[in-house]
Amino acid sequence: MQTVTSIKNSKSKIPLVMITAYDALFASLFDKNVDIILVGDSLNMSFNAKPDTLCATLEIMIYHTKAVCAGAKETFVVCDMPFGTYTDEKMALKNATKIYKETGASAVKIEGGVQRAHIIKALTSNSIAVMGHIGLMPQFVRSEGGYKIRGKNDEDIEQLLLDAKAVEEAGAFCLVVEGVKAEVAKEITKSVNIPTIGIGSGADTDGQVLVWSDAFGFLKDFKPKFVKRYLDGAKLIENALQRYANEVKNRNFPTKEYQY
Ligand code: KIV
């Protein structure tokens, strides 16, 4: 099982594999097959059909993280701190401590670079492991007016490099780089000593993360450019459900084989 130290030591080595999970069932399938499981607040969208991540609450994240930890006993689990739960140092420390006490999560994840460095520092200096998250940050979707690919001009590239450095200096052990132009993500990766985990940021980061329901094709109408579908999950379920329904309606299930 990975630890903060082994993850830090993965810099520039075999890429880290991270995937999201929101429940014990899928976490148990992913257990030991990935380096890190992220209980992302993306669950608000993929599991809860909300338009963005912003209304995920601490209670929701704790509930799902407990379930994931129960299913993935031998994998490093990270819990996303939801929007509005780390506005200042005191609040962040109280809420991150609650996550540590009530779940088995090994770390929390926080969105933000320079502007959140003091929050990350408040947690890391109180023995809470923090994964940073810069670039396209879904919790900023309303204030920024949409999801925008980052690193398209010199000013933004400079900001991203400052963000990465600030997160590293605040003590984060690892950094998610989301929705950043591939060549800029490569530069960010070179500029810090902690591993970067990319999503929609090209191949030159120290690891990759995907949202499981995207990677396995469970959301039929959601297929952004950066997502590769490793399974046609929705179709498989629909076909299986159709067979089950037909067999029930035609009295072909249950046969004697399935009765007491
Ligand atoms: O919430 C989430 O799943 C995430 C990943 C996309 C990195 O933050």
Side-chain angles (χ1 to χ4, degrees):
M1 175 166 160
Q2 294 278 14
T3 62
V4 164
T5 310
S6 65
I7 292 169
K8 270 185 173 170
N9 290 339
S10 315
K11 180 80 191 167
S12 308
K13 299 211 178 104
I14 298 171
L16 291 161
V17 181
M18 180 157 95
I19 192 153
T20 66
Y22 313 129
D23 59 41
L25 174 61
F26 274 84
S28 69
L29 297 175
F30 303 156
D31 195 20
K32 292 190 280 184
N33 292 312
V34 292
D35 295 299
I36 306 170
I37 293 180
L38 170 67
V39 188
D41 57 0
S42 54
L43 65 82
N44 215 36
M45 299 162 83
S46 51
F47 242 50
N48 216 6
K50 294 285 191 298
D52 58 38
T53 62
L54 271 67
C55 62
T57 63
L58 191 67
E59 287 63 38
I60 288 175
M61 294 310 298
I62 286 177
Y63 174 85
H64 285 278
T65 305
K66 272 185 181 168
V68 166
C69 291
K73 294 202 168 57
E74 294 183 62
T75 306
F76 190 96
V77 173
V78 179
C79 172
D80 240 347
M81 290 197 68
F83 179 72
T85 63
Y86 53 99
T87 309
D88 61 45
E89 289 106 314
K90 199 168 160 215
M91 181 200 276
L93 188 55
K94 182 169 170 257
N95 290 330
T97 304
K98 190 170 162 71
I99 290 173
Y100 256 19
K101 281 189 184 290
E102 295 184 16
T103 75
S106 298
V108 297
K109 178 166 80 60
I110 281 188
E111 291 184 15
V114 173
Q115 80 274 47
R116 292 275 163 74
H118 62 295
I119 307 277
I120 297 174
K121 182 85 193 154
L123 301 189
T124 56
S125 58
N126 280 287
S127 313
I128 292 172
V130 177
M131 175 179 278
H133 184 155
I134 63 163
L136 185 161
M137 296 175 286
Q139 291 180 11
F140 290 64
V141 63
R142 296 191 202 169
S143 62
E144 305 250 310
Y147 298 107
K148 297 189 178 132
I149 297 303
R150 301 285 308 273
K152 286 185 170 173
N153 57 57
D154 289 349
E155 197 188 335
D156 198 35
I157 295 171
E158 195 183 326
Q159 184 59 55
L160 287 165
L161 290 168
L162 289 173
D163 284 340
K165 214 53 221 158
V167 169
E168 177 179 30
E169 280 170 8
F173 69 97
C174 186
L175 176 62
V176 169
V177 178
E178 178 166 2
V180 171
K181 299 275 290 175
E183 65 274 17
V184 181
K186 184 178 181 179
E187 208 179 322
I188 292 171
T189 300
K190 276 202 209 140
S191 75
V192 289
N193 294 311
I194 51 172
T196 57
I197 301 190
I199 173 162
S201 298
D204 294 309
T205 49
D206 299 303
Q208 295 289 330
V209 55
L210 281 177
V211 169
W212 79 265
S213 43
D214 299 344
F216 301 140
F218 280 91
L219 300 173
K220 279 192 294 186
D221 303 324
F222 185 67
K223 201 190 171 307
K225 182 176 162 68
F226 66 88
V227 171
K228 178 167 176 181
R229 275 196 184 163
Y230 289 87
L231 186 77
D232 205 347
K235 193 167 258 160
L236 286 173
I237 297 282
E238 280 171 354
N239 289 346
L241 190 63
Q242 198 60 59
R243 275 174 35 229
Y244 165 58
N246 287 343
E247 290 192 5
V248 170
K249 286 191 189 300
N250 296 328
R251 295 197 180 279
N252 291 329
F253 175 81
T255 51
K256 286 211 162 59
E257 196 185 346
Y258 296 102
Q259 72 186 32
Y260 293 103

Short mmCIF file of all heavy atoms in Angstrom, two decimals, residues 106-160:
data_model
loop_
_atom_site.label_atom_id
_atom_site.label_comp_id
_atom_site.label_asym_id
_atom_site.label_seq_id
_atom_site.Cartn_x
_atom_site.Cartn_y
_atom_site.Cartn_z
N SER A 106 -6.30 8.78 4.13
CA SER A 106 -4.91 9.06 4.44
C SER A 106 -4.55 10.52 4.18
O SER A 106 -3.50 10.98 4.63
CB SER A 106 -3.98 8.18 3.59
OG SER A 106 -4.22 6.84 3.89
N ALA A 107 -5.37 11.20 3.38
CA ALA A 107 -5.07 12.60 3.04
C ALA A 107 -6.35 13.30 2.60
O ALA A 107 -7.36 12.65 2.32
CB ALA A 107 -4.04 12.65 1.91
N VAL A 108 -6.27 14.62 2.54
CA VAL A 108 -7.38 15.40 1.99
C VAL A 108 -6.86 16.14 0.75
O VAL A 108 -5.66 16.32 0.59
CB VAL A 108 -7.95 16.43 3.01
CG1 VAL A 108 -8.52 15.74 4.23
CG2 VAL A 108 -6.88 17.47 3.42
N LYS A 109 -7.80 16.53 -0.11
CA LYS A 109 -7.40 17.31 -1.30
C LYS A 109 -8.09 18.68 -1.25
O LYS A 109 -9.26 18.78 -0.88
CB LYS A 109 -7.76 16.57 -2.59
CG LYS A 109 -7.40 17.37 -3.86
CD LYS A 109 -7.43 16.53 -5.13
CE LYS A 109 -8.79 16.29 -5.69
NZ LYS A 109 -9.55 17.50 -6.06
N ILE A 110 -7.29 19.68 -1.64
CA ILE A 110 -7.75 21.07 -1.60
C ILE A 110 -7.49 21.73 -2.94
O ILE A 110 -6.41 21.58 -3.51
CB ILE A 110 -6.99 21.82 -0.48
CG1 ILE A 110 -7.61 21.46 0.86
CG2 ILE A 110 -6.96 23.31 -0.70
CD1 ILE A 110 -7.08 22.26 2.00
N GLU A 111 -8.48 22.44 -3.47
CA GLU A 111 -8.28 23.17 -4.72
C GLU A 111 -7.73 24.57 -4.45
O GLU A 111 -8.23 25.27 -3.57
CB GLU A 111 -9.63 23.30 -5.47
CG GLU A 111 -10.14 21.97 -6.00
CD GLU A 111 -11.41 22.10 -6.82
OE1 GLU A 111 -11.78 23.22 -7.24
OE2 GLU A 111 -12.06 21.06 -7.03
N GLY A 112 -6.72 24.96 -5.24
CA GLY A 112 -6.20 26.32 -5.12
C GLY A 112 -4.68 26.34 -5.03
O GLY A 112 -4.08 25.42 -4.46
N GLY A 113 -4.08 27.39 -5.58
CA GLY A 113 -2.63 27.53 -5.55
C GLY A 113 -2.19 28.57 -4.54
O GLY A 113 -2.41 28.40 -3.33
N VAL A 114 -1.62 29.66 -5.05
CA VAL A 114 -1.09 30.71 -4.17
C VAL A 114 -2.14 31.16 -3.15
O VAL A 114 -1.86 31.28 -1.95
CB VAL A 114 -0.63 31.92 -5.03
CG1 VAL A 114 -0.24 33.08 -4.14
CG2 VAL A 114 0.54 31.52 -5.92
N GLN A 115 -3.37 31.32 -3.64
CA GLN A 115 -4.43 31.87 -2.76
C GLN A 115 -4.86 30.91 -1.65
O GLN A 115 -5.53 31.31 -0.70
CB GLN A 115 -5.65 32.35 -3.58
CG GLN A 115 -6.63 31.28 -4.03
CD GLN A 115 -6.26 30.61 -5.35
OE1 GLN A 115 -5.11 30.22 -5.55
NE2 GLN A 115 -7.21 30.46 -6.24
N ARG A 116 -4.46 29.64 -1.76
CA ARG A 116 -4.83 28.66 -0.73
C ARG A 116 -3.61 28.10 0.00
O ARG A 116 -3.76 27.20 0.84
CB ARG A 116 -5.62 27.51 -1.37
CG ARG A 116 -7.00 27.91 -1.87
CD ARG A 116 -8.00 27.85 -0.74
NE ARG A 116 -9.24 28.57 -1.01
CZ ARG A 116 -10.20 28.20 -1.82
NH1 ARG A 116 -10.11 27.06 -2.46
NH2 ARG A 116 -11.29 28.93 -1.98
N ALA A 117 -2.44 28.63 -0.29
CA ALA A 117 -1.21 28.07 0.30
C ALA A 117 -1.25 28.13 1.83
O ALA A 117 -0.83 27.20 2.52
CB ALA A 117 0.01 28.79 -0.25
N HIS A 118 -1.79 29.25 2.36
CA HIS A 118 -1.83 29.38 3.84
C HIS A 118 -2.75 28.32 4.46
O HIS A 118 -2.51 27.85 5.58
CB HIS A 118 -2.27 30.80 4.24
CG HIS A 118 -3.64 31.17 3.78
ND1 HIS A 118 -3.98 31.29 2.44
CD2 HIS A 118 -4.77 31.43 4.47
CE1 HIS A 118 -5.26 31.63 2.34
NE2 HIS A 118 -5.75 31.71 3.56
N ILE A 119 -3.77 27.92 3.73
CA ILE A 119 -4.68 26.88 4.24
C ILE A 119 -3.96 25.53 4.24
O ILE A 119 -4.02 24.78 5.22
CB ILE A 119 -5.94 26.77 3.32
CG1 ILE A 119 -6.62 28.13 3.13
CG2 ILE A 119 -6.88 25.68 3.81
CD1 ILE A 119 -7.55 28.56 4.19
N ILE A 120 -3.27 25.26 3.14
CA ILE A 120 -2.52 23.98 3.04
C ILE A 120 -1.49 23.91 4.17
O ILE A 120 -1.36 22.90 4.86
CB ILE A 120 -1.85 23.84 1.66
CG1 ILE A 120 -2.93 23.80 0.56
CG2 ILE A 120 -0.94 22.61 1.59
CD1 ILE A 120 -2.40 23.80 -0.87
N LYS A 121 -0.81 25.03 4.41
CA LYS A 121 0.21 25.08 5.47
C LYS A 121 -0.41 24.81 6.85
O LYS A 121 0.16 24.09 7.67
CB LYS A 121 0.85 26.49 5.44
CG LYS A 121 1.95 26.71 6.42
CD LYS A 121 3.26 26.22 5.86
CE LYS A 121 4.30 26.15 6.95
NZ LYS A 121 5.35 25.19 6.68
N ALA A 122 -1.59 25.38 7.06
CA ALA A 122 -2.27 25.18 8.36
C ALA A 122 -2.56 23.70 8.60
O ALA A 122 -2.52 23.22 9.73
CB ALA A 122 -3.56 26.00 8.41
N LEU A 123 -2.85 22.98 7.52
CA LEU A 123 -3.14 21.54 7.68
C LEU A 123 -1.86 20.73 7.79
O LEU A 123 -1.72 19.90 8.70
CB LEU A 123 -3.97 21.03 6.49
CG LEU A 123 -5.32 21.72 6.26
CD1 LEU A 123 -6.12 20.98 5.20
CD2 LEU A 123 -6.13 21.79 7.54
N THR A 124 -0.92 20.98 6.87
CA THR A 124 0.30 20.14 6.89
C THR A 124 1.10 20.36 8.17
O THR A 124 1.71 19.43 8.69
CB THR A 124 1.20 20.41 5.65
OG1 THR A 124 1.50 21.80 5.59
CG2 THR A 124 0.50 19.99 4.37
N SER A 125 1.04 21.58 8.73
CA SER A 125 1.79 21.80 9.98
C SER A 125 1.04 21.23 11.19
O SER A 125 1.53 21.26 12.30
CB SER A 125 2.09 23.29 10.18
OG SER A 125 0.88 24.00 10.20
N ASN A 126 -0.15 20.70 10.93
CA ASN A 126 -0.89 20.01 12.00
C ASN A 126 -1.09 18.54 11.65
O ASN A 126 -2.12 17.93 11.99
CB ASN A 126 -2.23 20.70 12.24
CG ASN A 126 -2.06 21.94 13.10
OD1 ASN A 126 -1.82 21.85 14.30
ND2 ASN A 126 -2.14 23.10 12.47
N SER A 127 -0.12 17.98 10.93
CA SER A 127 -0.08 16.54 10.63
C SER A 127 -1.22 16.03 9.76
O SER A 127 -1.65 14.88 9.91
CB SER A 127 -0.04 15.72 11.93
OG SER A 127 0.90 16.25 12.80
N ILE A 128 -1.72 16.86 8.90
CA ILE A 128 -2.73 16.39 7.94
C ILE A 128 -2.10 16.44 6.55
O ILE A 128 -1.60 17.49 6.12
CB ILE A 128 -4.02 17.23 8.02
CG1 ILE A 128 -4.69 16.96 9.37
CG2 ILE A 128 -4.97 16.90 6.86
CD1 ILE A 128 -5.84 17.83 9.70
N ALA A 129 -2.09 15.29 5.88
CA ALA A 129 -1.46 15.21 4.55
C ALA A 129 -2.40 15.83 3.53
O ALA A 129 -3.60 15.53 3.51
CB ALA A 129 -1.17 13.76 4.20
N VAL A 130 -1.82 16.69 2.69
CA VAL A 130 -2.64 17.41 1.71
C VAL A 130 -2.16 17.14 0.29
O VAL A 130 -0.97 17.27 -0.02
CB VAL A 130 -2.61 18.95 1.97
CG1 VAL A 130 -3.40 19.69 0.89
CG2 VAL A 130 -3.17 19.28 3.35
N MET A 131 -3.13 16.79 -0.54
CA MET A 131 -2.91 16.73 -1.99
C MET A 131 -3.42 18.06 -2.55
O MET A 131 -4.56 18.45 -2.26
CB MET A 131 -3.70 15.55 -2.57
CG MET A 131 -3.66 15.43 -4.08
SD MET A 131 -4.62 13.98 -4.66
CE MET A 131 -3.42 12.66 -4.42
N GLY A 132 -2.58 18.76 -3.31
CA GLY A 132 -3.03 20.02 -3.90
C GLY A 132 -3.79 19.78 -5.20
O GLY A 132 -3.85 18.66 -5.71
N HIS A 133 -4.37 20.83 -5.73
CA HIS A 133 -5.13 20.72 -7.00
C HIS A 133 -5.11 22.10 -7.66
O HIS A 133 -5.69 23.05 -7.12
CB HIS A 133 -6.57 20.28 -6.69
CG HIS A 133 -7.42 20.05 -7.92
ND1 HIS A 133 -8.52 19.20 -7.88
CD2 HIS A 133 -7.39 20.55 -9.17
CE1 HIS A 133 -9.09 19.19 -9.08
NE2 HIS A 133 -8.44 20.02 -9.88
N ILE A 134 -4.40 22.20 -8.80
CA ILE A 134 -4.33 23.49 -9.50
C ILE A 134 -4.76 23.31 -10.96
O ILE A 134 -5.00 22.20 -11.42
CB ILE A 134 -2.92 24.12 -9.43
CG1 ILE A 134 -1.89 23.22 -10.14
CG2 ILE A 134 -2.49 24.36 -7.99
CD1 ILE A 134 -0.58 23.93 -10.47
N GLY A 135 -4.81 24.43 -11.67
CA GLY A 135 -5.22 24.39 -13.07
C GLY A 135 -6.71 24.67 -13.16
O GLY A 135 -7.20 25.64 -12.53
N LEU A 136 -7.43 23.84 -13.90
CA LEU A 136 -8.88 23.96 -13.93
C LEU A 136 -9.40 23.41 -12.61
O LEU A 136 -9.15 22.24 -12.29
CB LEU A 136 -9.43 23.16 -15.11
CG LEU A 136 -10.91 23.23 -15.43
CD1 LEU A 136 -11.15 22.77 -16.88
CD2 LEU A 136 -11.77 22.43 -14.49
N MET A 137 -10.06 24.26 -11.83
CA MET A 137 -10.52 23.84 -10.52
C MET A 137 -12.05 23.89 -10.50
O MET A 137 -12.65 24.97 -10.51
CB MET A 137 -9.90 24.73 -9.44
CG MET A 137 -8.39 24.56 -9.38
SD MET A 137 -7.57 25.67 -8.24
CE MET A 137 -7.65 27.23 -9.08
N PRO A 138 -12.69 22.70 -10.49
CA PRO A 138 -14.15 22.65 -10.62
C PRO A 138 -14.90 23.47 -9.57
O PRO A 138 -16.00 23.94 -9.84
CB PRO A 138 -14.46 21.16 -10.51
CG PRO A 138 -13.22 20.48 -10.99
CD PRO A 138 -12.08 21.36 -10.51
N GLN A 139 -14.30 23.65 -8.37
CA GLN A 139 -15.01 24.43 -7.34
C GLN A 139 -15.07 25.93 -7.69
O GLN A 139 -15.77 26.69 -7.04
CB GLN A 139 -14.37 24.22 -5.97
CG GLN A 139 -14.59 22.80 -5.44
CD GLN A 139 -13.97 22.55 -4.08
OE1 GLN A 139 -13.52 23.47 -3.40
NE2 GLN A 139 -13.94 21.28 -3.68
N PHE A 140 -14.33 26.34 -8.73
CA PHE A 140 -14.35 27.76 -9.13
C PHE A 140 -15.27 27.97 -10.34
O PHE A 140 -15.27 29.05 -10.93
CB PHE A 140 -12.94 28.23 -9.50
CG PHE A 140 -11.98 28.34 -8.32
CD1 PHE A 140 -11.60 27.23 -7.59
CD2 PHE A 140 -11.45 29.58 -7.97
CE1 PHE A 140 -10.71 27.34 -6.51
CE2 PHE A 140 -10.57 29.70 -6.89
CZ PHE A 140 -10.20 28.57 -6.16
N VAL A 141 -16.04 26.94 -10.71
CA VAL A 141 -16.80 27.02 -11.97
C VAL A 141 -17.77 28.21 -12.01
O VAL A 141 -17.92 28.86 -13.05
CB VAL A 141 -17.53 25.68 -12.28
CG1 VAL A 141 -18.55 25.34 -11.22
CG2 VAL A 141 -18.18 25.73 -13.64
N ARG A 142 -18.41 28.48 -10.88
CA ARG A 142 -19.39 29.59 -10.92
C ARG A 142 -18.69 30.94 -10.91
O ARG A 142 -19.03 31.84 -11.67
CB ARG A 142 -20.36 29.48 -9.74
CG ARG A 142 -21.21 28.21 -9.82
CD ARG A 142 -22.33 28.23 -8.82
NE ARG A 142 -22.79 26.87 -8.55
CZ ARG A 142 -23.61 26.54 -7.57
NH1 ARG A 142 -24.08 27.45 -6.75
NH2 ARG A 142 -23.97 25.28 -7.40
N SER A 143 -17.65 31.07 -10.08
CA SER A 143 -16.96 32.37 -9.99
C SER A 143 -16.16 32.68 -11.26
O SER A 143 -15.95 33.83 -11.60
CB SER A 143 -16.05 32.42 -8.76
OG SER A 143 -15.06 31.44 -8.85
N GLU A 144 -15.75 31.63 -11.97
CA GLU A 144 -14.96 31.85 -13.20
C GLU A 144 -15.83 31.85 -14.45
O GLU A 144 -15.35 32.12 -15.55
CB GLU A 144 -13.91 30.74 -13.35
CG GLU A 144 -13.01 30.59 -12.15
CD GLU A 144 -11.59 31.03 -12.42
OE1 GLU A 144 -11.05 30.59 -13.42
OE2 GLU A 144 -11.07 31.82 -11.62
N GLY A 145 -17.11 31.49 -14.28
CA GLY A 145 -18.02 31.47 -15.42
C GLY A 145 -17.79 30.31 -16.37
O GLY A 145 -17.96 30.46 -17.58
N GLY A 146 -17.41 29.17 -15.85
CA GLY A 146 -17.28 27.97 -16.69
C GLY A 146 -16.00 27.22 -16.42
O GLY A 146 -15.18 27.63 -15.59
N TYR A 147 -15.85 26.10 -17.12
CA TYR A 147 -14.64 25.29 -17.01
C TYR A 147 -13.69 25.72 -18.12
O TYR A 147 -14.01 25.56 -19.30
CB TYR A 147 -14.97 23.80 -17.16
CG TYR A 147 -15.90 23.28 -16.09
CD1 TYR A 147 -17.22 22.99 -16.38
CD2 TYR A 147 -15.45 23.08 -14.80
CE1 TYR A 147 -18.09 22.50 -15.41
CE2 TYR A 147 -16.30 22.60 -13.81
CZ TYR A 147 -17.62 22.31 -14.12
OH TYR A 147 -18.46 21.84 -13.15
N LYS A 148 -12.54 26.29 -17.74
CA LYS A 148 -11.65 26.83 -18.76
C LYS A 148 -10.29 26.15 -18.75
O LYS A 148 -9.66 26.02 -17.68
CB LYS A 148 -11.47 28.34 -18.54
CG LYS A 148 -12.80 29.05 -18.70
CD LYS A 148 -12.68 30.56 -18.69
CE LYS A 148 -14.09 31.14 -18.91
NZ LYS A 148 -14.47 32.18 -18.00
N ILE A 149 -9.86 25.72 -19.93
CA ILE A 149 -8.53 25.10 -20.04
C ILE A 149 -7.49 26.15 -19.70
O ILE A 149 -7.58 27.31 -20.11
CB ILE A 149 -8.31 24.54 -21.48
CG1 ILE A 149 -9.33 23.43 -21.77
CG2 ILE A 149 -6.88 24.02 -21.66
CD1 ILE A 149 -9.33 22.28 -20.79
N ARG A 150 -6.49 25.75 -18.92
CA ARG A 150 -5.51 26.70 -18.41
C ARG A 150 -4.16 26.57 -19.14
O ARG A 150 -3.85 25.57 -19.74
CB ARG A 150 -5.29 26.43 -16.90
CG ARG A 150 -6.55 26.54 -16.05
CD ARG A 150 -6.95 27.98 -15.82
NE ARG A 150 -5.86 28.79 -15.32
CZ ARG A 150 -5.53 28.94 -14.04
NH1 ARG A 150 -6.23 28.33 -13.12
NH2 ARG A 150 -4.52 29.72 -13.68
N GLY A 151 -3.39 27.65 -19.04
CA GLY A 151 -2.04 27.65 -19.60
C GLY A 151 -1.98 28.07 -21.05
O GLY A 151 -1.08 27.66 -21.79
N LYS A 152 -2.95 28.90 -21.44
CA LYS A 152 -3.00 29.28 -22.86
C LYS A 152 -2.21 30.55 -23.18
O LYS A 152 -2.05 30.90 -24.33
CB LYS A 152 -4.45 29.49 -23.29
CG LYS A 152 -5.23 28.18 -23.44
CD LYS A 152 -6.61 28.48 -23.97
CE LYS A 152 -7.33 27.22 -24.36
NZ LYS A 152 -8.72 27.47 -24.72
N ASN A 153 -1.78 31.29 -22.15
CA ASN A 153 -0.96 32.47 -22.42
C ASN A 153 0.12 32.62 -21.34
O ASN A 153 0.05 31.95 -20.29
CB ASN A 153 -1.83 33.74 -22.52
CG ASN A 153 -2.63 33.96 -21.25
OD1 ASN A 153 -2.08 34.05 -20.16
ND2 ASN A 153 -3.96 34.03 -21.37
N ASP A 154 1.09 33.48 -21.61
CA ASP A 154 2.26 33.59 -20.73
C ASP A 154 1.89 33.94 -19.29
O ASP A 154 2.46 33.41 -18.33
CB ASP A 154 3.23 34.65 -21.27
CG ASP A 154 3.91 34.16 -22.54
OD1 ASP A 154 3.78 32.96 -22.84
OD2 ASP A 154 4.55 34.98 -23.23
N GLU A 155 0.92 34.87 -19.17
CA GLU A 155 0.52 35.31 -17.82
C GLU A 155 -0.05 34.13 -17.01
O GLU A 155 0.28 33.92 -15.84
CB GLU A 155 -0.55 36.41 -17.98
CG GLU A 155 -0.76 37.23 -16.74
CD GLU A 155 -1.96 38.16 -16.93
OE1 GLU A 155 -2.30 38.49 -18.09
OE2 GLU A 155 -2.54 38.53 -15.92
N ASP A 156 -0.89 33.34 -17.69
CA ASP A 156 -1.51 32.21 -17.00
C ASP A 156 -0.47 31.13 -16.68
O ASP A 156 -0.52 30.50 -15.61
CB ASP A 156 -2.65 31.64 -17.87
CG ASP A 156 -3.59 30.78 -17.04
OD1 ASP A 156 -3.81 31.11 -15.85
OD2 ASP A 156 -4.09 29.76 -17.55
N ILE A 157 0.47 30.93 -17.61
CA ILE A 157 1.52 29.92 -17.37
C ILE A 157 2.33 30.32 -16.12
O ILE A 157 2.60 29.51 -15.24
CB ILE A 157 2.45 29.78 -18.60
CG1 ILE A 157 1.64 29.22 -19.78
CG2 ILE A 157 3.66 28.92 -18.30
CD1 ILE A 157 2.34 29.23 -21.11
N GLU A 158 2.66 31.62 -16.04
CA GLU A 158 3.42 32.11 -14.89
C GLU A 158 2.64 31.88 -13.59
O GLU A 158 3.18 31.44 -12.57
CB GLU A 158 3.70 33.60 -15.09
CG GLU A 158 4.78 34.13 -14.17
CD GLU A 158 4.97 35.63 -14.37
OE1 GLU A 158 4.83 36.10 -15.52
OE2 GLU A 158 5.24 36.31 -13.37
N GLN A 159 1.33 32.15 -13.65
CA GLN A 159 0.47 31.95 -12.47
C GLN A 159 0.46 30.47 -12.05
O GLN A 159 0.57 30.14 -10.87
CB GLN A 159 -0.96 32.43 -12.76
CG GLN A 159 -1.90 32.34 -11.55
CD GLN A 159 -1.41 33.17 -10.37
OE1 GLN A 159 -1.16 34.36 -10.50
NE2 GLN A 159 -1.24 32.53 -9.22
N LEU A 160 0.35 29.60 -13.04
CA LEU A 160 0.30 28.16 -12.74
C LEU A 160 1.60 27.69 -12.09
O LEU A 160 1.59 26.89 -11.15
CB LEU A 160 0.02 27.36 -14.02
CG LEU A 160 -1.41 27.46 -14.55
CD1 LEU A 160 -1.50 26.95 -15.98
CD2 LEU A 160 -2.38 26.70 -13.66
#
